[in-house]
Amino acid sequence: MTPTDGRQFGEGGMPVLGEAEAAGLDWVRAEVEDGSDEDCFEVALDGAWVHIRQTDDPAAIVTTTRPKWDAFVLGVRNNEFDHFVTGAGGPTGPSSPTGSATS
């Protein structure tokens, strides 16, 4: 599908960014604990879309919608993904290998 602005869309209706389009976005880099610039996570907002990439492979861009991104960020803030991080502790939940849901 090609809308009037020439942007290409891939599977699921998500935009596919070319190198020039990606270079034109304002990427925000997450801080790395050791202060290095290697393997950093970057996010760029583009209207209704949120683009995510890693600095070690900037051409591999994952795109999602703003509402899905907002739900993910709220989940991070609520410690819903802590069980994926070694040593993070955090609450147990239905998807946690160590426990059941908590209220």
Side-chain angles (χ1 to χ4, degrees):
M1 175 184 347
T2 305
T4 56
D5 68 357
R7 181 174 287 193
Q8 297 294 314
F9 285 74
E11 196 171 315
M14 298 293 175
V16 177
L17 296 182
E19 190 176 327
E21 288 176 301
L25 294 175
D26 183 23
W27 293 93
V28 177
R29 184 174 294 181
E31 293 291 326
V32 179
E33 193 172 297
D34 67 5
S36 72
D37 283 338
E38 296 179 17
D39 303 324
C40 295
F41 187 78
E42 295 181 314
V43 177
L45 299 178
D46 181 18
W49 307 108
V50 178
H51 307 289
I52 307 157
R53 69 181 184 183
Q54 286 187 250
T55 56
D56 62 330
D57 189 7
I61 298 171
V62 175
T63 301
T64 190
T65 64
R66 185 64 187 256
K68 288 178 183 179
W69 175 254
D70 291 346
F72 173 74
V73 170
L74 288 174
V76 170
R77 286 182 180 167
N78 289 325
N79 305 317
E80 294 172 15
F81 303 105
D82 283 359
H83 61 281
F84 289 111
V85 180
T86 303
T92 58
S95 61
S96 171
T98 59
S100 59
T102 58
S103 318

